[in-house]
Amino acid sequence: MTFNKRLPTIRTLRYLADMDGPFPIKNRHIILAAQRFWFGDNVIEFLKLFPPDAVFHSRDGFIERCKQLELLIQEERHAPLEVLHSPQG
């Protein structure tokens, strides 16, 4: 799961969640809203890391899952290379 763009801020994702709705909502609909309201490529590409049919049941649930994904991305970025690549035999 390589994400080389700047991570969207939680504030930006909250703003998107407040503009979109109602919840529950599928990820593909959040992506469409991000495109419609001119959110940056980093937001759209970040959202595409979730499956298109992933369902977010509430705004808080959406934000929590975004925070978890951001944490995984940050951990991956700071992991030593030998952890990221399997040894070739």
Side-chain angles (χ1 to χ4, degrees):
M1 163 196 21
T2 302
F3 186 78
N4 296 322
K5 296 184 182 291
R6 180 178 48 86
L7 287 170
T9 65
I10 294 302
R11 183 178 180 185
T12 299
L13 295 169
R14 276 189 213 280
Y15 184 60
L16 173 60
D18 288 342
M19 293 178 73
D20 204 19
F23 283 80
I25 191 169
K26 289 186 177 182
N27 187 46
R28 71 178 124 174
H29 297 290
I30 293 179
I31 292 171
L32 289 173
Q35 293 168 334
R36 181 176 52 239
F37 296 122
W38 298 93
F39 281 78
D41 286 341
N42 65 321
V43 173
I44 294 166
E45 293 303 314
F46 176 79
L47 294 171
K48 286 182 178 179
L49 295 175
F50 292 106
D53 289 331
V55 176
F56 301 104
H57 296 282
S58 67
R59 284 175 175 76
D60 289 341
F62 169 70
I63 296 302
E64 187 58 36
R65 287 177 64 187
C66 289
K67 285 179 181 179
Q68 290 171 358
L69 182 56
E70 284 190 355
L71 183 61
L72 287 173
I73 291 168
Q74 289 171 350
E75 287 176 355
E76 179 184 77
R77 286 179 178 175
H78 295 98
L81 286 177
E82 59 268 12
V83 172
L84 297 175
H85 300 288
S86 63
Q88 296 179 353

